[in-house]
Structure formats: structure tokens, C-alpha cells
């Protein structure tokens, strides 16, 4: 009887599986960021940043570099990723990547075919941000140390996320968003753009990490718009905010507008925003009725208006509405004339709401967008004036 039990146990052991694909932690490195430039000898130059876990926390840090950046050239990104141990001693783990940086040169030339690798690869998640590196090498962006986050990639990811939530100056574009919009019939893709300010060679020094006034730092300064897979131009941070207002993606932001005298200004802090767009074609012309409603507080004022008076906020609200309507209309005009691309996704809305008329623009929506009429209505509502009602400074 015992003999049969032993035989049964041996048979069960054969059914057990082992960790055939395991890797020891000491032999792996976590990839936090990747950058793609034009190569000198080959088509692409891939730069990868990996972190040193012991240097990321104060308890175990020894003062050495918290991350390692290495580059390799090749003709495909898949080839470079698979043979990156030419320059890297450990096995790269790509599932925790936070940022992909693309050089301006590649974006302008439309050499973004390598994005298919990221979309297809099972080891890479789709929750990383994609950015353009303006006027410089994309790889240099991953070499700039900073005090806030010891990893340049983690700092840039946090920087972009916070910018989008607190002010609306960066579109939240991840891999799935980029691929979906690139294949859309009624929208052109956009990507946030960053720029390295200062000396790139000093960005990787430990002194740059410890300095309160770094010699080199990365700033979010604009957004790139694409047309037929190529970079068509840039939009300013204020124009990025206009885009997010139209798309209904503003979480919070600050708007400054002029007082009644036309000289002094006040600031309006948006705490809530909604957008409703009605799309329909009228007499052969696509029409879009964009209604943006915001609520917020008076964040600061130079105006002489007595806030305790009934209807005191009306003049502020009228000024805000006029300012934002003018600003948004100007940016829409810019997208038509300079980019010739619908980055707002209005074409998709026309397809959803008036498909019968959208069918004729299916392959030529840019032509329909160019002649479309925009009706922008911005409605602001100041709920309160903060902790103080009247100004503490009295004008004499």
C-alpha cells in the first residue's frame, strides 16, 4: 500500500512545473526610460536608462550614480532591445518603463515606424508617456540628474503628469492613445514636447543633482502636432490648454484676464470644467458648437472692483469669457492654416453625430476641417473670492 503511495507521489512530481523563465534580481535591471534618435552608422540610436535600486533610497544610497544610461545603434528597435547586453551587464526588464523620448529629427522625417515594436511587444506595458525632444538629442533627456527624482525618466513622468493635472499644459498621451488616434479618420495625433536647457554634458554630473540651481534641466515647453505621420509644428503651453478645454480634459488651471480698466489683471482658478460639442453639417459646411462651462475661485486681483457689491463677479466673468473665446478661436485657426490637421478630434464627433454627411470626408477630413465653422462659447462662474473679500491694499 505504501509502495503505491510512493509511486503516485512520483507521478504527481512529473506534473509539477518549474520556474523556467525566472531571473535572479541581482542579474536584472529595471528600465525606466527609452529614447530614440537617428543613428550615425545605422538607422536608429536607442538609449536606455536603467536604475540602481540601492541608490534610489536614502537608507541604502552610497553616493554613486542612481541610474545608468547606455546607447546602441541598429536598424530596428527590436534588434537593439534583444542585444542590448552588448553595452549592458544585466538583463533589462522593460515592463516598468515610464517615458519614451523621440528626437525632433525623427519626428520631422516621419521615421516613426519603430512604434509598431512598442505596440506589439508583450514585455512592454502601454502606460508610458511619449514625448518629443526639441532642438537636441533625445538620449540627452535621459542623462539629466535632478534633486526631486534621482531618475531622469521618473522625474519627467511625474513632471508631465503633474503639469497636466494642475495647469493643463501637457496632453496625457500614452501608447494606446497614440496608436488609436494615428488610425483615426477624424483626428490627428499630438505629443508633448520637452527641451533640455543648459549644458547636456553637465546634466549627468552628481553636482547637478546636488545643486539648487542646476546647470542643466529638462523643461516642458510645448506640444507637437502631427500630419500624415510627420511633425507639422508646435503649439505653446497656452495653446495646449486650449486643446484640453475643447476636449473636456482640463482638471484644473489658472486664467488671467484684464480688469474693466483694461490695464490691471486678475486671476481665475478653474476647479471644475465640462465641455459639450454639437457637430452637424449645414448647407455643405461642417459646424461645431463648442460650449465650455467652468467653475472656480478668484485667485488674486489688481482690480478696484468692490467684491462685496451685488453682481461684482459679473465683470470678471465677462472678461474671462471674452479672453478664452478669442484665445481658443485663434488656436483653431492656427491648426487649420499651419498644421492643416484636426488635433481636437472634431472629425470623430461629426462621424458619431452626423455620419451621413461625414462619409464624404472619410478619407479627406482635413479638407472638411479646413472649411468648418466653429462656434465657441466659454462660460465661467466664480463661486467665491478665496479667504478674503476685499483687497487688503487700498489704492489712494
Amino acid at each position: 500500500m505504501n509502495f503505491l503511495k510512493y509511486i503516485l507521489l512520483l507521478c504527481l512530481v512529473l506534473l509539477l512545473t518549474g520556474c523556467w523563465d525566472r531571473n535572479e534580481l541581482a542579474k536584472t535591471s529595471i528600465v525606466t526610460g527609452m529614447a530614440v534618435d537617428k543613428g550615425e552608422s545605422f538607422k536608429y540610436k536607442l538609449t536606455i536608462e536603467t536604475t540602481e535600486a540601492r541608490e534610489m533610497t536614502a537608507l541604502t544610497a552610497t553616493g554613486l550614480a542612481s541610474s545608468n544610461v547606455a546607447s546602441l545603434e541598429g536598424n530596428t528597435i527590436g534588434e537593439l532591445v534583444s542585444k542590448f547586453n552588448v553595452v549592458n551587464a544585466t538583463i533589462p526588464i522593460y515592463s516598468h518603463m515610464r517615458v519614451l523620448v523621440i528626437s525632433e529629427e525623427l519626428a520631422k522625417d516621419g521615421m516613426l515606424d519603430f512604434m509598431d515594436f512598442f505596440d506589439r511587444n508583450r514585455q512592454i506595458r502601454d502606460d508610458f508617456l511619449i514625448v518629443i525632444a526639441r532642438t537636441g538629442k533625445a538620449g540627452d533627456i535621459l542623462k539629466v540628474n535632478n534633486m526631486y527624482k534621482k531618475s531622469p525618466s521618473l522625474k519627467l513622468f511625474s513632471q508631465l503628469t503633474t503639469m497636466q493635472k494642475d495647469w493643463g499644459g501637457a496632453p496625457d498621451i500614452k501608447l494606446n492613445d497614440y496608436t488609436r488616434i494615428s488610425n483615426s479618420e477624424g483626428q490627428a495625433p499630438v505629443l508633448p514636447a520637452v527641451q533640455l536647457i543648459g549644458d547636456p554634458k553637465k546634466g549627468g554630473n552628481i553636482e547637478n543633482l546636488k545643486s539648487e540651481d542646476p546647470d542643466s534641466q529638462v523643461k516642458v515647453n510645448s506640444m507637437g502636432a502631427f500630419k500624415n505621420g510627420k511633425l507639422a509644428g508646435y503649439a505653446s503651453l497656452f495653446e495646449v490648454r486650449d486643446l484640453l478645454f475643447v476636449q473636456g480634459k482640463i482638471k484644473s488651471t489658472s486664467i488671467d484676464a484684464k480688469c474693466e480698466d483694461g490695464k490691471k489683471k486678475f486671476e481665475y482658478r478653474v476647479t471644475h470644467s465640462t465641455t459639450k460639442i454639437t457637430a452637424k453639417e449645414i448647407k455643405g459646411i461642417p459646424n461645431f458648437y463648442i460650449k465650455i462651462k467652468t467653475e472656480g475661485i478668484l485667485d488674486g486681483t489688481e482690480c478696484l472692483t468692490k467684491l462685496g457689491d451685488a453682481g461684482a463677479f459679473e465683470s470678471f466673468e465677462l472678461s474671462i469669457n471674452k479672453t478664452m473665446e478669442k484665445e481658443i478661436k485663434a488656436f483653431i485657426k492656427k491648426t487649420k492654416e499651419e498644421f492643416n490637421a484636426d488635433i481636437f478630434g472634431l472629425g470623430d464627433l461629426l462621424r458619431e453625430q452626423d455620419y451621413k454627411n461625414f462619409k464624404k470626408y472619410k478619407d479627406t477630413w482635413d479638407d472638411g476641417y479646413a472649411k468648418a465653422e466653429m462656434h465657441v462659447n466659454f462660460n465661467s462662474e466664480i463661486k467665491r473670492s478665496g479667504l478674503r473679500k476685499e483687497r487688503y491694499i487700498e489704492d489712494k
Side-chain angles (χ1 to χ4, degrees):
M1 191 68 178
N2 289 333
F3 178 75
L4 292 175
K5 288 182 179 179
Y6 291 135
I7 295 296
L8 181 61
L9 287 173
L10 289 173
C11 293
L12 290 174
V13 168
L14 296 175
L15 298 176
L16 298 177
T17 58
C19 299
W20 61 271
D21 62 345
R22 70 179 176 87
N23 291 312
E24 297 291 341
L25 287 175
K27 296 180 180 180
T28 62
S29 54
I30 304 299
V31 175
T32 54
M34 299 174 71
V36 185
D37 289 287
K38 257 189 178 181
E40 295 179 4
S41 303
F42 296 89
K43 187 175 181 179
Y44 298 117
K45 180 180 181 181
L46 178 66
T47 302
I48 290 180
E49 181 201 1
T50 57
T51 57
E52 173 53 57
R54 289 170 295 186
E55 298 297 327
M56 297 296 288
T57 59
L59 293 176
T60 57
T62 61
L64 299 176
S66 56
S67 62
N68 177 63
V69 178
S71 300
L72 194 64
E73 290 193 13
N75 290 319
T76 66
I77 300 300
E79 169 201 2
L80 293 173
V81 167
S82 62
K83 71 173 188 180
F84 213 78
N85 283 105
V86 170
V87 292
N88 195 60
T90 54
I91 302 171
I93 303 298
Y94 296 95
S95 57
H96 297 283
M97 187 176 75
R98 307 310 286 151
V99 173
L100 172 64
V101 187
I102 300 170
S103 72
E104 183 180 58
E105 188 178 16
L106 280 178
K108 284 184 175 179
D109 291 346
M111 296 173 60
L112 302 183
D113 295 340
F114 63 85
M115 293 296 290
D116 180 75
F117 165 79
F118 294 98
D119 186 43
R120 194 180 298 274
N121 192 279
R122 64 188 295 268
Q123 296 182 11
I124 299 176
R125 298 176 183 173
D126 57 9
D127 60 348
F128 59 87
L129 294 175
I130 310 171
V131 301
I132 302 169
R134 295 190 66 174
T135 63
K137 297 294 184 181
D140 290 339
I141 301 295
L142 303 183
K143 300 175 183 178
V144 181
N145 289 323
N146 60 89
M147 188 185 302
Y148 173 64
K149 290 277 189 181
K150 291 187 176 181
S151 164
S153 299
L154 296 180
K155 180 259 186 180
L156 182 55
F157 178 82
S158 179
Q159 184 177 357
L160 289 164
T161 304
T162 305
M163 183 69 171
Q164 198 272 335
K165 289 181 179 178
D166 286 356
W167 198 80
D172 185 17
I173 302 295
K174 296 183 172 65
L175 179 61
N176 271 349
D177 302 313
Y178 178 81
T179 54
R180 173 181 55 81
I181 297 172
S182 295
N183 292 302
S184 171
E185 297 173 345
Q187 186 175 1
V190 296
L191 291 175
V194 299
Q195 188 170 3
L196 194 155
I197 307 298
D199 188 351
K201 295 181 180 179
K202 294 182 179 180
N205 296 338
I206 295 296
E207 289 74 18
N208 197 70
L209 177 67
K210 297 179 179 179
S211 174
E212 69 276 3
D213 185 19
D215 294 317
S216 182
Q217 54 186 321
V218 176
K219 291 187 176 181
V220 181
N221 68 353
S222 55
M223 175 188 73
F226 286 79
K227 166 81 172 179
N228 296 329
K230 294 184 178 181
L231 182 65
Y234 288 104
S236 69
L237 292 180
F238 289 98
E239 291 170 336
V240 177
R241 185 179 64 178
D242 296 336
L243 167 71
L244 297 182
F245 262 126
V246 173
Q247 293 181 334
K249 295 180 180 179
I250 285 288
K251 294 179 175 65
S252 179
T253 190
S254 294
I255 300 172
D256 62 82
K258 292 182 178 180
C259 304
E260 285 186 293
D261 61 10
K263 298 179 181 179
K264 296 182 178 181
K265 290 189 174 184
F266 65 93
E267 186 174 291
Y268 170 59
R269 181 69 179 173
V270 176
T271 57
H272 182 69
S273 175
T274 58
T275 302
K276 181 180 179 181
I277 302 177
T278 303
K280 58 183 177 180
E281 185 170 279
I282 302 174
K283 296 181 179 179
I285 304 295
N287 279 256
F288 297 92
Y289 298 86
I290 305 168
K291 294 183 179 180
I292 303 168
K293 181 176 175 55
T294 65
E295 295 177 358
I297 62 174
L298 186 63
D299 222 14
T301 178
E302 300 173 355
C303 307
L304 304 180
T305 306
K306 295 291 184 180
L307 300 181
D309 297 343
F313 291 152
E314 290 183 5
S315 62
F316 291 111
E317 293 168 350
L318 288 173
S319 181
I320 295 167
N321 298 343
K322 183 178 178 181
T323 298
M324 291 308 299
E325 286 175 6
K326 180 180 179 181
E327 190 176 295
I328 292 172
K329 287 178 181 178
F331 182 49
I332 292 174
K333 183 179 179 181
K334 176 180 177 178
T335 62
K336 289 182 177 183
E337 296 177 354
E338 293 186 23
F339 305 156
N340 189 27
D342 176 13
I343 63 174
F344 299 95
L346 298 175
D348 284 343
L349 289 174
L350 184 64
R351 182 186 60 193
E352 293 173 5
Q353 300 179 24
D354 191 2
Y355 182 71
K356 181 180 178 181
N357 288 307
F358 176 79
K359 287 191 294 184
K360 59 186 174 186
Y361 302 115
K362 188 174 181 181
D363 299 319
T364 59
W365 168 239
D366 289 336
D367 295 334
Y369 179 67
K371 67 178 183 178
E373 292 185 3
M374 308 295 173
H375 311 272
V376 180
N377 178 260
F378 195 95
N379 187 340
S380 60
E381 184 177 355
I382 301 176
K383 289 293 187 179
R384 57 186 186 277
S385 59
L387 298 178
R388 181 183 293 274
K389 183 172 289 186
E390 302 296 347
R391 297 178 68 216
Y392 78 95
I393 300 176
E394 294 184 3
D395 290 87
K396 300 180 179 179

